[in-house]
Amino acid sequence: MEDNNILEVHNLKISLPVREKRVMFIRGVDLSLPKGKILALVGESGSGKTLTARSLMSLLPKAARIESGEILLKSKTGDEPGTDLAKLSHARIVNTVNARRIGMVFQDPLTTLNPTMTVGKQLAEGYKVHEHRFAGEAKKRALELLASVGLPEPERCFKQYPHELSGGMRQRVIIAIALSLNPDILICDEPTTSLDVTIQARILELLKKLQAERQLSVLYITHDLGVVAEIADIIYVMYAGRIVEEGSRSDILYHPAHPYTWGLLSSVPDMSFKEERLISIPGTPPDLSSGLRGDPFAPRNAWALPEDFEEEPPMFRLSSTHAVRSRLYDGAHTPPPLPENLARRIGNRSSAAEKEERHD
Amino acid sequence: MTETPLLTVSNLKQYYGTGKKRVRAVEDVSFTICPEETFALVGESGSGKTTVGRTIIRILPPKGGKILFGGKDISGKLSGEERKELSRKLQMIFQDPMSSLNPSEKAGDIIARGLDIHRLYSSRTERREKVLSIMKEVGLPEEAFDRYPSQFSGGQRQRIAIARALIMNPELLIADEPVSALDVSVRAQIINLLKELQRKRHIAMLFIAHDLALVRQISDRVGVMHEGKLIETGTAEKIFGHPSQPYTKKLLDSVPVLYPEDTGSSGTGEV
């Protein structure tokens, strides 16, 4: 394991049964989460981002199977070699890794919480089960935590049931529960998708604040590139069970290289300018159960090369932080320029900023 | 503007529940939509925007106020004949195409439903031809006619819902969050389709959504709803460029943007 990484995933493959045969839904994922950074894993539904995240906590569906690969988690002290979570039993992960090392926040705050238990009880439970603390001390810790996630009246919230809270407050409670045992890693799976934009903005702010205060490493899963732009340090783009591009925030947003990334960025509507036509990616994602040949994105890719239909391209490195799964960058081809509308939006950035200054 | 509005909503009121438990969902909402125009209602969940749409199409009877559609008052009690007439000119598409389509009916029959009710064909062949031509227009292949909703992707299901609405040649289409259940890349396809169809068929549209960036792309005028009230209306340029209400500003500032400098405003201001 590299020194500054807290988690590394190598060549992870996960299969699920479909009509009596096993289909590979995660087809070799490599991922490195550096300590204290927010890594966004971006993809459309069915790309495998949630399955990848769940495998880290042994929360895969029963029928799923890890076929190969390593999930290396650095020890708390950092001096031993990483533990391979893919080799640990489910019970071992649940008892020693989950909550203590990795906390998770799910999409729907109403189904995550137990509707028959008060917030306080649910929060204190973690302390009692994992740390064998007495009720009094557990309560004190729980109240501190509720205050730290920005709930205005912790005492009152402690006694309330989930249905008495708004969606935003519920998500704060879940974040508090996920952080209760001081994990090093927080996995967030679309935590703001079911929330209103004004609430979403505040939850994102809270996550950034907690991440900085606690030196958390965050794996943030989403399909919303606007949210990614707001929160991520590092971005991985996933398509049909594999990473197709990875890089720093500025690599991916300002120097995107993969045609799929271009399509994703272009299909995010612009707030300041009305386009004649929105750019969309033609077609739909492939059905992995019907078998793949070559690059799964090739049929939707205007820049696909003949060999892409035969064999999936490997990753090509563009810089120490930026890599892309596309033969356009193999050195033998000349990469095409950015699509016009995207180049305009990225270019506008500097001119708009200049104009703003002159106005002031 | 000298054009006569196609739809005039004045002081619309809607409540849920009765007596002490009565909740005001919509309070004194007034706006107009001209022919061929797209008017968007935006707001957060619970703001009443969906209730407005449902009241106009008379899924809910209005509890107060007036709705004029094509010069006719449609806010009172409607006879069966009037309802039928209204359903030809006013159509709606919903957020979740999985639950708005009958799972046991073939796509072709779902689309032909309006034709069946209004007997708008003289033979089976004519019925099939009308359905196939609208399917082509919304980008569905001919084979889709005999397939069931579960055999389609989310985007294609929404195309079926759009075809079902358009086959009646409506004058006004109400679209309630038509793309929010779809993936980003598919969203753009459906929005482009709606824009194109609207231009070609000269339909007016009431577009109900919470996604402000999408609203920017599709609407001519925008109304902002907050707690049951319409707090601001204006052209899309005005609402997005120079909002006058603090709530509208807050809403716009909360939208995460890809390229922050795009907006020309400071963006990350305190909420």
Side-chain angles (χ1 to χ4, degrees):
Chain A
M1 276 189 95
E2 261 180 60
D3 258 1
N4 54 349
N5 289 344
I6 187 145
L7 182 85
E8 283 180 14
V9 175
H10 298 295
N11 197 28
L12 182 69
K13 292 184 179 168
I14 300 174
S15 70
L16 274 164
V18 179
R19 294 184 289 271
E20 281 146 44
K21 72 181 181 197
R22 293 208 78 84
V23 175
M24 211 69 93
F25 279 91
I26 303 298
R27 304 179 305 112
V29 164
D30 295 286
L31 186 152
S32 307
L33 176 59
K35 197 170 166 25
K37 298 275 185 215
I38 302 184
L39 186 156
L41 188 55
V42 193
E44 296 181 83
S45 48
S47 61
K49 53 195 194 304
T50 295
L51 216 50
T52 304
R54 285 183 166 248
S55 72
L56 309 179
M57 298 182 75
S58 189
L59 292 176
L60 290 172
K62 278 227 161 62
R65 199 160 68 204
I66 295 184
E67 299 284 350
S68 77
E70 291 179 307
I71 302 167
L72 300 177
L73 176 67
K74 187 162 278 174
S75 67
K76 201 116 192 165
T77 47
D79 42 15
E80 298 154 50
T83 323
D84 185 359
L85 301 182
K87 296 208 169 55
L88 295 189
S89 69
H90 172 73
R92 188 75 194 281
I93 292 182
V94 169
N95 289 327
T96 65
V97 175
N98 291 2
R100 289 162 184 266
R101 301 296 315 281
I102 308 178
M104 185 154 181
V105 178
F106 297 91
Q107 176 171 352
D108 184 355
L110 199 53
T111 50
T112 314
L113 291 170
N114 183 340
T116 68
M117 272 166 94
T118 61
V119 164
K121 250 199 161 142
Q122 296 187 55
L123 194 48
E125 201 179 42
Y127 292 123
K128 282 193 262 177
V129 173
H130 285 271
E131 295 192 344
H132 310 289
R133 287 183 192 274
F134 297 113
E137 201 187 335
K139 180 172 178 182
K140 199 178 136 240
R141 295 272 300 267
L143 288 176
E144 282 168 17
L145 207 54
L146 288 175
S148 78
V149 295
L151 285 159
E153 295 171 88
E155 281 280 356
R156 195 176 141 195
C157 179
F158 191 86
K159 292 187 209 120
Q160 281 176 312
Y161 287 91
H163 74 266
E164 298 176 273
L165 305 173
S166 68
M169 284 163 89
R170 269 182 226 133
Q171 204 57 296
R172 284 175 195 265
V173 168
I174 289 171
I175 292 170
I177 292 175
L179 295 177
S180 61
L181 296 176
N182 251 323
D184 317 84
I185 299 174
L186 186 67
I187 300 178
C188 299
D189 189 357
E190 305 261 13
T192 62
T193 308
S194 59
L195 302 176
D196 279 321
V197 272
T198 51
I199 312 293
Q200 165 172 283
R202 283 193 249 144
I203 295 286
L204 292 178
E205 226 167 81
L206 171 70
L207 282 171
K208 277 196 275 192
K209 178 185 137 233
L210 291 170
Q211 186 262 343
E213 278 172 11
R214 295 171 169 246
Q215 272 298 298
L216 274 173
S217 314
V218 180
L219 178 61
Y220 197 100
I221 293 163
T222 183
H223 68 277
D224 187 334
L225 282 154
V227 169
V228 169
E230 201 102 322
I231 201 166
D233 300 310
I234 300 161
I235 303 171
Y236 279 63
V237 182
M238 200 163 177
Y239 187 77
R242 284 200 107 166
I243 305 295
V244 296
E245 185 167 0
E246 60 176 85
S248 67
R249 179 178 176 281
S250 93
D251 289 338
I252 303 291
L253 294 182
Y254 296 106
H255 311 281
H258 198 287
Y260 179 63
T261 313
W262 295 345
L264 273 187
L265 290 170
S266 308
S267 49
V268 177
D270 197 329
M271 276 270 278
S272 57
F273 179 84
K274 187 166 178 176
E275 314 247 5
E276 233 343 86
R277 225 185 130 68
L278 295 184
I279 307 293
S280 64
I281 306 172
T284 45
D287 175 9
L288 293 174
S289 63
S290 59
L292 285 178
R293 186 183 155 86
D295 179 356
F297 186 60
R300 301 175 75 185
N301 185 359
W303 294 272
L305 301 164
E307 52 267 48
D308 290 340
F309 291 91
E310 301 300 319
E311 203 188 334
E312 194 166 10
M315 285 295 251
F316 292 96
R317 278 240 147 251
L318 303 177
S319 74
S320 61
T321 54
H322 196 179
V324 58
R325 191 180 294 286
S326 163
R327 285 197 181 82
L328 296 169
Y329 303 89
D330 64 359
H333 296 88
T334 319
L338 275 183
E340 203 185 312
N341 82 312
L342 195 57
R344 195 199 70 231
R345 279 176 82 175
I346 294 174
N348 263 358
R349 181 182 65 95
S350 45
S351 54
E354 273 171 32
K355 231 186 278 163
E356 180 79 354
E357 278 197 65
R358 250 178 280 138
H359 275 295
D360 292 349
Chain B
M1 256 198 269
T2 50
E3 216 170 350
T4 9
L6 175 66
L7 179 83
T8 308
V9 174
S10 35
N11 301 92
L12 190 70
K13 290 183 183 63
Q14 188 59 265
Y15 312 122
Y16 289 117
T18 50
K20 277 187 187 153
K21 285 190 182 157
R22 197 167 78 165
V23 177
R24 269 182 231 184
V26 172
E27 267 189 277
D28 287 322
V29 165
S30 308
F31 60 89
T32 58
I33 302 180
C34 290
E36 301 183 39
E37 181 187 46
T38 299
F39 180 71
L41 275 181
V42 301
E44 301 190 274
S45 48
S47 63
K49 56 191 193 302
T50 290
T51 305
V52 170
R54 289 178 172 247
T55 307
I56 293 169
I57 204 161
R58 295 295 307 264
I59 293 174
L60 303 164
K63 299 277 163 60
K66 222 176 192 154
I67 308 168
L68 290 175
F69 180 64
K72 249 184 96 179
D73 186 353
I74 58 162
S75 46
K77 217 169 162 53
L78 298 177
S79 68
E81 208 44 50
E82 283 171 317
R83 245 177 204 285
K84 221 167 140 179
E85 173 72 20
L86 190 62
S87 77
R88 274 183 79 156
K89 296 180 180 161
L90 195 56
Q91 284 286 322
M92 185 155 180
I93 48 179
F94 299 88
Q95 172 171 358
D96 180 3
M98 196 61 212
S99 53
S100 69
L101 304 178
N102 182 346
S104 61
E105 255 187 309
K106 289 176 182 166
D109 294 326
I110 292 175
I111 296 168
R113 189 68 197 271
L115 298 181
D116 294 343
I117 291 172
H118 295 275
R119 303 196 201 291
L120 297 176
Y121 48 84
S122 49
S123 67
R124 295 295 286 180
T125 340
E126 195 191 338
R127 177 181 185 262
R128 194 179 162 88
E129 265 163 21
K130 281 190 168 173
V131 172
L132 286 180
S133 117
I134 198 98
M135 279 170 60
K136 196 173 163 205
E137 216 179 314
V138 301
L140 285 168
E142 212 166 294
E143 317 82 88
F145 192 97
D146 290 312
R147 284 198 243 137
Y148 293 92
S150 63
Q151 293 170 287
F152 294 94
S153 67
Q156 280 186 310
R157 270 185 224 131
Q158 205 55 295
R159 288 178 198 265
I160 296 174
I162 293 170
R164 170 175 65 180
L166 289 188
I167 204 161
M168 302 307 296
N169 267 320
E171 290 167 28
L172 177 66
L173 181 68
I174 301 180
D176 188 0
E177 301 274 11
V179 299
S180 51
L182 306 176
D183 263 321
V184 227
S185 71
V186 184
R187 270 180 207 181
Q189 292 175 10
I190 298 295
I191 292 293
N192 284 335
L193 175 68
L194 283 173
K195 278 173 114 170
E196 192 187 300
L197 291 170
Q198 190 187 17
R199 219 169 4 217
K200 233 166 50 188
R201 295 169 154 260
H202 313 290
I203 313 168
M205 183 151 65
L206 173 61
F207 189 86
I208 299 166
H210 70 278
D211 185 333
L212 290 150
L214 266 185
V215 165
R216 177 78 182 95
Q217 294 307 315
I218 199 163
S219 55
D220 302 310
R221 285 189 309 126
V222 180
V224 182
M225 286 199 69
H226 184 48
E227 292 173 354
K229 295 193 183 93
L230 191 61
I231 59 161
E232 184 170 5
T233 4
T235 60
E237 283 72 27
K238 184 187 167 285
I239 297 283
F240 284 90
H242 311 281
S244 59
Q245 293 292 324
Y247 176 75
T248 310
K249 282 188 194 130
K250 177 177 148 182
L251 207 56
L252 288 171
D253 277 343
S254 303
V255 180
V257 280
L258 208 46
Y259 300 108
E261 293 84 346
D262 264 6
T263 56
S265 76
S266 59
T268 49
E270 290 294 311
V271 183

